[in-house]
Amino acid sequence: MKTVSLTPTEQEICELLLNVVETIHAKQPEQPKLVLRIAGGWVRDKLLGLESHDIDIAIDNMSGFDLAQHVNQYLSEHGYPVSTIAKINQNPERSKHLETATTSVLGLLVDFVNLRSETYNSDSRIPQIEFGTPADDALRRDITINALFYNIHSRQVEDFTGRGLADLRDGIVRTPLEPFKTFTDDPLRVLRVLRFASRFNYAIDEETAEAIMRPEIKCDLDAKISRERVGVELEKMAAGPHPLLSIQLILRFGLYASIFRTPPRDEWVSVEDEISEPKDVALAEALTRNVLELVSGSNRDGSASLLRSMPQQCLDIGGGETAMRRSLMLAAFLYPYHDLLVRDKKKTVPVAYVVVRDGIKLSHLDSESTVGLHQYAAPLASTANDCVAGTLSRKTLGLQIRSIGSRWPQSVLFAAALELLDTQGATALAAVTDKYKAYVNRVVAEDLAEAYAMKHIVDGKTAAKILGIKPGPALKGVLDRVMDWQLDHPRGTRDECEAFIKDTIGADMR
């Protein structure tokens, strides 16, 4: 477990840094010789046999920026490419508690930061920072498996918490210090515990789990942590290898309402009861499980999953598998809010929209995508039934694709996942998958995969001229009928459409 296998580039970087240390010491022999260590996630991942490109150099008695300048000087003097040093100032709201310097060394980005100790007051997660020892630095970290060092001088892994290597071997997530104090100091560590437990499918140790359950920690999580930081951790959970475990842990520890914070209850348009969170938060877990089944490589019977059955064109339209999976996870996580509305300035909008925008501070597109997946699931399911029954017209299908837009492929997956909530077993999964495969195949066969971008064959100005009317609100209805005609007549020409406008629409307007 203590063996770290370096790539040739990493080996060269370590040798280069040792040379820099010797150069500095030769110039400043009265100063203690620097000791450099690679810290944190890189060490953990290397011990697990995983690739890592996140090299953080921890320095014992010099600032990160000063060492980065010495490194660049050495690179320049020895004919290596030299990159600009990016100085990242202290920014606790983004978990940058100490100034960091970043530069490229032999093609890899390397962060330089000095070892530190942290002291917290009771009402903030922003610590007082001082230079520290390796033990200080290890003990102030979030979990033991992230507190390991690789000493580039001795080429040994150092475990100053005394538990990191054992926890990595045994699959345990725990805090280096007493967990209640750890979480009180910085409640963001609660979310990081959940994220790393789900990422590596590790168990959370009992004392750490008990601390997470304390009501004081939930209050601190609400009071001390910015919503942007909550959103960053949640995104990483959703994009990680085990998003189902992520939502299960969120539910297990009763953190759903704390993470997916809703607007004040008095802004809700309608409230059915007095509880502070939706009744069916367990829907988030069930729906996440269904989504993952539909986007996996194959169904339980060995047939291709719904995602894998989609033509590449559809995946490209949806933004690619990674983007589709991300939006599906967010929609599944937020589904317990799907039927709730809130007053937002002068509009009434879904609660889920405001939770994504304000509660976890993601983008407007994320809010729109989440709400869209919720809202289009039912009509899409109905259309899929008509498709299987053979009663679906090309026009109806095309109008639906135009209404949903470019996210229609993930909308298909989400509608299928919702339908699976009411069914169980491999047979049901196969039946639902086949139904939505038929829908996708029909879209492709009718050349409607990009119907959302279809232009009117006759534009509004020409249509108005044919009808002898001035452009205005009435023209929208005309153009809607033009699109209906186009969808009903996929091989129709511009001349034929103009004749339709003149003879049919014109007659109806007289």
Side-chain angles (χ1 to χ4, degrees):
M1 179 63 79
K2 294 184 180 181
T3 302
V4 171
S5 178
L6 302 183
T7 67
T9 301
E10 290 167 343
Q11 177 70 29
E12 191 175 357
I13 288 174
C14 287
E15 293 293 340
L16 186 149
L17 291 174
L18 291 176
N19 291 336
V20 171
V21 169
E22 293 298 331
T23 301
I24 295 172
H25 188 61
K27 294 177 180 178
Q28 304 172 3
E30 74 284 359
Q31 297 295 328
K33 185 182 289 188
L34 291 177
V35 177
L36 305 184
R37 297 170 171 88
I38 305 179
W42 180 92
V43 186
R44 177 201 66 224
D45 290 347
K46 282 291 181 177
L47 290 171
L48 291 172
L50 305 174
E51 287 190 15
S52 181
H53 304 290
D54 183 19
I55 300 179
D56 295 339
I57 302 298
I59 313 153
D60 62 344
N61 60 10
M62 180 180 286
S63 75
F65 185 72
D66 286 345
L67 179 59
Q69 288 181 309
H70 283 291
V71 169
N72 266 8
Q73 182 178 349
Y74 182 91
L75 291 171
S76 176
E77 291 174 352
H78 290 79
Y80 291 100
V82 178
S83 298
T84 302
I85 299 171
K87 189 175 182 180
I88 304 170
N89 293 324
Q90 181 180 358
N91 187 349
E93 286 305 318
R94 296 193 177 277
S95 288
K96 293 294 182 184
H97 294 309
L98 197 67
E99 176 186 286
T100 303
T102 300
T103 191
S104 178
V105 180
L106 305 183
L108 290 181
L109 282 178
V110 179
D111 288 349
F112 297 91
V113 65
N114 57 271
L115 297 168
R116 61 208 190 259
S117 65
E118 297 176 350
T119 304
Y120 291 82
N121 60 42
S122 61
D123 59 354
S124 173
R125 62 175 286 262
I126 301 175
Q128 297 294 317
I129 302 293
E130 296 179 358
F131 275 71
T133 66
D136 291 334
D137 198 274
L139 293 172
R140 59 102 194 157
R141 292 178 181 263
D142 49 8
I143 55 178
T144 58
I145 63 172
N146 290 344
L148 299 168
F149 292 99
Y150 177 73
N151 187 313
I152 70 170
H153 306 266
S154 67
R155 302 302 172 98
Q156 294 293 312
V157 173
E158 298 172 332
D159 182 6
F160 291 98
T161 71
R163 289 180 165 182
L165 288 170
D167 287 343
L168 199 62
R169 179 194 65 219
D170 298 336
I172 301 293
V173 172
R174 80 172 86 234
T175 58
L177 297 175
E178 193 276 318
F180 181 73
K181 172 114 179 17
T182 297
F183 297 146
T184 301
D185 285 344
D186 185 356
L188 183 67
R189 291 168 176 158
V190 170
L191 301 186
R192 290 179 62 81
V193 164
L194 268 56
R195 174 160 69 85
F196 284 106
S198 63
R199 175 179 173 182
F200 295 112
N201 198 16
Y202 281 5
I204 299 173
D205 93 291
E206 185 175 347
E207 187 181 4
T208 302
E210 290 174 355
I212 294 173
M213 295 290 289
R214 296 273 293 270
E216 304 98 308
I217 298 302
K218 294 179 183 178
C219 289
D220 285 344
L221 189 59
D222 282 336
K224 291 185 180 181
I225 306 302
S226 72
R227 303 317 296 177
E228 289 87 351
R229 290 303 308 166
V230 173
V232 166
E233 293 299 321
L234 181 70
E235 273 209 283
K236 291 179 179 178
M237 289 188 226
H242 302 110
L244 177 59
L245 181 54
S246 295
I247 195 66
Q248 287 171 334
L249 290 172
I250 289 169
L251 296 174
R252 169 189 165 189
F253 290 109
L255 296 174
Y256 189 89
S258 296
I259 293 174
F260 301 104
R261 183 191 288 174
T262 62
R265 297 282 287 190
D266 59 5
E267 296 177 8
W268 292 27
V269 172
S270 60
V271 178
E272 295 181 356
D273 45 53
E274 298 298 324
I275 60 173
S276 60
E277 60 182 78
K279 288 180 180 177
D280 299 324
V281 291
L283 278 174
E285 176 185 349
L287 198 48
T288 299
R289 180 182 288 106
N290 291 350
V291 167
L292 290 173
E293 282 211 272
L294 292 165
V295 302
S296 65
S298 61
N299 293 332
R300 281 168 273 174
D301 63 1
S303 60
S305 69
L306 182 54
L307 178 71
R308 288 287 177 264
S309 71
M310 288 185 173
Q312 186 60 45
Q313 177 192 17
C314 300
L315 301 181
D316 292 342
I317 288 169
E321 288 188 32
T322 300
M324 290 173 65
R325 189 176 186 269
R326 176 183 178 278
S327 63
L328 287 164
M329 289 298 102
L330 285 175
F333 288 177
L334 271 296
Y335 192 70
Y337 295 130
H338 76 281
D339 57 353
L340 301 173
L341 300 174
V342 65
R343 289 183 293 275
D344 185 49
K345 297 179 181 177
K346 295 183 179 181
K347 299 185 294 184
T348 297
V349 300
V351 167
Y353 183 95
V354 181
V355 171
V356 175
R357 186 191 68 192
D358 299 339
I360 52 178
K361 291 291 185 179
L362 300 185
S363 70
H364 171 73
L365 289 177
D366 288 324
S367 293
E368 292 283 355
S369 173
T370 298
V371 171
L373 293 180
H374 292 173
Q375 292 179 339
Y376 286 116
L380 202 151
S382 176
T383 307
N385 286 333
D386 292 341
C387 180
V388 172
T391 59
L392 179 63
S393 71
R394 185 179 189 274
K395 180 181 79 173
T396 299
L397 181 60
L399 290 176
Q400 183 167 78
I401 299 299
R402 288 179 64 79
S403 177
I404 298 174
S406 62
R407 67 174 66 98
W408 74 262
Q410 48 263 57
S411 295
V412 169
L413 289 157
F414 195 75
L418 273 177
E419 190 161 334
L420 286 172
L421 289 176
D422 300 322
T423 57
Q424 293 182 350
T427 302
L429 175 60
V432 170
T433 299
D434 287 345
K435 182 171 86 171
Y436 288 93
K437 281 181 182 178
Y439 179 97
V440 172
N441 291 340
R442 179 74 184 279
V443 171
V444 174
E446 296 283 9
D447 195 24
L448 292 172
E450 297 184 54
Y452 57 86
M454 188 183 296
K455 304 294 185 183
H456 292 86
I457 194 171
V458 176
D459 61 30
K461 184 177 180 180
T462 302
K465 184 176 180 180
I466 292 171
L467 294 170
I469 62 174
K470 293 182 179 180
L475 199 56
K476 181 183 182 303
V478 172
L479 292 176
D480 287 344
R481 293 187 65 181
V482 167
M483 184 54 64
D484 290 348
W485 183 90
Q486 284 180 237
L487 291 170
D488 274 335
H489 301 82
R491 293 181 177 80
T493 66
R494 178 185 174 91
D495 288 343
E496 290 171 337
C497 185
E498 289 182 353
F500 166 75
I501 294 171
K502 179 180 178 181
D503 298 338
T504 303
I505 299 180
D508 292 343
M509 294 179 68
R510 288 194 287 272

